[in-house]
Amino acid sequence: MLHLIVHLANEALLGGPVQYRWQFCIEREFKYIRYKCGNKNKIEACIAEATLLHEMADATIMYYANDVPTKHNPVARYNSDEPKRDPKLLLFQYPGGKAGASKVENISPEEKDCIMLYVLMNMDEVVDFMSQFHDEMWSGRNGPTPTQWYTLLKEGAPPLNKSFVNWFYEKGADPNVEMTDELRCVSQGFNRRVHTHEKYDVNGYRFHTEFHQKNRPNAKTINTGVYTRGADDLDYYGRLQKVYELTFNNANIELKLFVFKCHWFDPHGGMRSTPSIGLVEVRPTTTYSGSDVYVVAHQTKQVYYLSYPCQNEELMGWEVVFQVSPHGKLPIPSEDDYNNIDPVTYEGIFYQEEEQFGDLQIDIGLQELHNDVQMRGETVVDLKDIAMLTKRNANKDNIVETQPEPNADHEYSYDTDFDSEAENPMPRDESGDECGSQGRVLLDGVEDPLFPPGVTKTQTEDGEDEGVDEGVDELEDELEDEGEDEPEDEGMHSSF
């Protein structure tokens, strides 16, 4: 696997995308068309005829009606009830599906007004009427704050104290007010006798109420988590409690809308997030203080919550939020994921934490090993040579290394193959005399490591060094005493 990872990058650069050079799809196609052969005596004809028939059928079923299950229009996993009529109001155009039986329940007038106000506030066709209501009811010099605006819509303003729901109801009942038939139907409100459901399918999810979830024996999944984005740009997380099926009737028009009643967690004290790693945590014990706990079904996404195994002081009571991908759909990419990418050069990173973790440095002595290899030249493998070099370099700590002056008229280098003075001239000190072996200047009282302790180096009048043979003989005698063979001259010469 390590070898594969190393070569994947080069393979992609040289070959391009794998689908243009991979044989897997071709082999699978061969396996598929072999099954089409019914007459082994006419293999080519059978495969050609079956392939043409398949292509013709594939092209034909693309024009079938949407309600006919085909290869291009498979049966959905979840229910999706088609409305009896095509509504023109945007809020009623999202399909959903009931799952299981329903019950009939009568809701209170207060709850009905709260649901009705939420429905009207989320309809684009009612924006103009809300502006008209603001002009009639608001008497302040400055515009209302979000809290004041919601209070005005819910309770109205003196002296009439008429809420927006009642005000819009009167507008819908007035035939002189221009309004579409469907919008007039919505303005008259829905029936207090509503149908409640324990399961509902929408947006590729199947939602369960808390009551149904607790009564499921050996449940493998949790489908009660709900998430929505509020108009105040806050994220709301909670659990589903009830599913209401609202019915709007007026004359020959009938509209249905599904609304979720949820237990929302406190978006301020009951939620915390870490955007750098995409972590969102909620505290299920908290409760949203507002009365608008309703949301239209198609405005929600499904999430589930997972508690921490370690319940220390910081993590106790908090649960991590995980978003569920809708069935049969891939998550829609967010434009924020591509903000770090240059659209021209495609350079950048898709995700990078902003934290600084410092630098990690590991010193394994590679530089010293590299310098040592350059200085020593050939590799010494003979045990006799290694033993000799070990003894000769025993006192190397007493050596003072000096570098030649940069303005020197000549340069020298070490050479392990030739001892020619013309090729490697010996540097000279200030007095003009040649320096010690390999250009080293030895301090007074410091022995040359090229000679064993006790062996002195003198120069005769003829320019020949005395004591060299003496030192070599002593080393040879020591090796012979240890049972070693006499070192060869060639090996000693190459090691120098």
Side-chain angles (χ1 to χ4, degrees):
M1 295 303 296
L2 179 61
H3 178 80
L4 177 63
I5 294 174
V6 170
H7 291 280
L8 276 179
N10 291 334
E11 181 180 345
L13 290 174
L14 295 175
V18 69
Q19 62 265 26
Y20 300 117
R21 51 190 169 84
W22 204 14
Q23 295 297 318
F24 176 77
C25 54
I26 299 177
E27 296 295 340
R28 287 298 298 267
E29 183 65 19
F30 285 164
K31 179 182 178 181
Y32 175 73
I33 62 178
R34 288 193 191 101
Y35 292 133
K36 296 180 177 296
C37 180
N39 185 0
K40 301 299 182 182
N41 192 29
K42 304 291 183 180
I43 298 178
E44 295 84 357
C46 291
I47 292 178
E49 184 178 355
T51 303
L52 290 176
L53 180 62
H54 172 75
E55 292 180 356
M56 291 167 51
D58 190 19
T60 304
I61 61 178
M62 294 180 63
Y63 300 95
Y64 283 10
N66 294 330
D67 57 345
V68 178
T70 62
K71 176 182 178 182
H72 301 284
N73 186 25
V75 179
R77 177 177 179 179
Y78 297 128
N79 299 326
S80 179
D81 293 340
E82 296 293 336
K84 297 180 180 179
R85 59 188 307 274
D86 186 15
K88 300 298 186 293
L89 299 177
L90 297 178
L91 194 65
F92 294 81
Q93 292 180 358
Y94 292 88
K98 297 172 290 186
S102 62
K103 298 180 181 179
V104 179
E105 180 179 340
N106 292 327
I107 61 176
S108 62
E110 294 78 9
E111 187 174 8
K112 177 184 176 182
D113 292 342
C114 191
I115 297 175
M116 191 64 192
L117 179 59
Y118 180 83
V119 171
L120 295 178
M121 291 178 62
N122 286 269
M123 295 182 63
D124 296 337
E125 295 83 1
V126 189
V127 175
D128 295 337
F129 292 95
M130 295 179 69
S131 300
Q132 185 179 352
F133 176 80
H134 171 270
D135 297 337
E136 293 181 7
M137 297 295 177
W138 183 253
S139 59
R141 182 174 302 178
N142 299 324
T145 62
T147 304
Q148 293 175 342
W149 175 239
Y150 181 76
T151 304
L152 180 65
L153 293 174
K154 185 178 180 181
E155 301 177 359
L160 299 179
N161 292 329
K162 185 183 299 183
S163 66
F164 179 72
V165 175
N166 296 330
W167 180 88
F168 190 64
Y169 174 83
E170 295 178 357
K171 292 292 182 181
D174 188 358
N176 298 324
V177 178
E178 294 185 2
M179 191 181 299
T180 62
D181 295 338
E182 291 184 353
L183 188 58
R184 195 179 301 274
C185 175
V186 173
S187 67
Q188 301 306 302
F190 57 89
N191 301 329
R192 286 183 53 190
R193 191 177 180 87
V194 299
H195 291 268
T196 60
H197 302 269
E198 299 294 340
K199 297 179 290 183
Y200 188 74
D201 302 336
V202 66
N203 295 336
Y205 306 108
R206 168 161 290 183
F207 289 94
H208 293 169
T209 62
E210 283 190 285
F211 177 80
H212 179 76
Q213 184 71 37
K214 293 178 181 179
N215 291 274
R216 292 176 61 197
N218 302 322
K220 298 295 190 300
T221 58
I222 299 176
N223 304 71
T224 59
V226 181
Y227 158 77
T228 188
R229 182 78 171 181
D232 51 0
D233 293 334
L234 291 178
D235 294 332
Y236 289 86
Y237 297 91
R239 290 191 172 95
L240 179 61
Q241 291 184 330
K242 291 184 178 181
V243 180
Y244 290 151
E245 181 182 357
L246 310 181
T247 304
F248 298 84
N249 290 322
N250 185 20
N252 297 327
I253 299 176
E254 178 177 331
L255 299 175
K256 291 184 179 295
L257 185 67
F258 288 85
V259 175
F260 289 172
K261 181 180 180 180
C262 307
H263 168 77
W264 299 107
F265 310 139
D266 187 4
H268 299 285
M271 189 192 75
R272 61 185 183 184
S273 62
T274 308
S276 60
I277 59 177
L279 177 66
V280 178
E281 300 167 287
V282 295
R283 189 185 289 274
T285 56
T286 60
T287 304
Y288 172 60
S289 58
S291 60
D292 51 335
V293 296
Y294 306 94
V295 61
V296 180
H298 67 262
Q299 295 177 343
T300 60
K301 295 182 179 179
Q302 192 173 91
V303 296
Y304 70 93
Y305 312 106
L306 187 63
S307 60
Y308 285 100
C310 178
Q311 292 293 322
N312 56 22
E313 183 178 357
E314 183 181 357
L315 303 179
M316 183 177 297
W318 291 94
E319 296 184 358
V320 182
V321 179
F322 293 90
Q323 292 192 5
V324 180
S325 298
H327 178 74
K329 299 179 181 179
L330 294 176
I332 301 176
S334 174
E335 294 183 359
D336 297 337
D337 299 337
Y338 302 94
N339 289 340
N340 297 328
I341 303 299
D342 188 349
V344 179
T345 61
Y346 293 98
E347 295 180 355
I349 54 177
F350 283 93
Y351 175 77
Q352 177 66 39
E353 296 180 2
E354 297 180 358
E355 300 180 7
Q356 299 293 335
F357 297 97
D359 298 330
L360 179 62
Q361 297 181 357
I362 302 177
D363 186 8
I364 58 176
L366 293 178
Q367 186 66 24
E368 296 181 0
L369 180 62
H370 179 69
N371 295 338
D372 185 69
V373 172
Q374 287 184 342
M375 292 293 293
R376 292 187 178 274
E378 294 181 3
T379 304
V380 180
V381 297
D382 194 349
L383 295 178
K384 297 181 295 182
D385 297 339
I386 295 175
M388 180 179 295
L389 293 174
T390 302
K391 291 184 178 181
R392 297 179 64 178
N393 294 331
N395 298 328
K396 67 178 180 180
D397 294 336
N398 297 328
I399 302 174
V400 179
E401 299 286 347
T402 61
Q403 297 292 339
E405 296 181 1
N407 296 330
D409 297 336
H410 58 271
E411 297 179 356
Y412 63 93
S413 60
Y414 300 113
D415 184 44
T416 58
D417 296 332
F418 300 94
D419 243 352
S420 172
E421 294 182 359
E423 182 179 4
N424 296 323
M426 296 290 290
R428 300 178 180 274
D429 55 12
E430 296 179 357
S431 61
D433 298 333
E434 292 182 354
C435 299
S437 175
Q438 295 188 3
R440 288 190 290 270
V441 178
L442 304 179
L443 300 178
D444 296 338
V446 179
E447 298 177 349
D448 194 332
L450 296 181
F451 298 92
V455 180
T456 59
K457 176 178 179 295
T458 59
Q459 190 174 18
T460 60
E461 295 179 357
D462 298 337
E464 297 179 356
D465 295 337
E466 295 181 358
V468 176
D469 296 336
E470 250 178 77
V472 174
D473 292 341
E474 288 187 9
L475 291 175
E476 293 177 354
D477 295 340
E478 292 179 5
L479 293 175
E480 289 179 359
D481 294 340
E482 296 175 2
E484 302 286 348
D485 296 335
E486 182 177 358
E488 298 179 359
D489 294 340
E490 185 179 4
M492 292 174 59
H493 179 73
S494 63
S495 64
F496 292 160

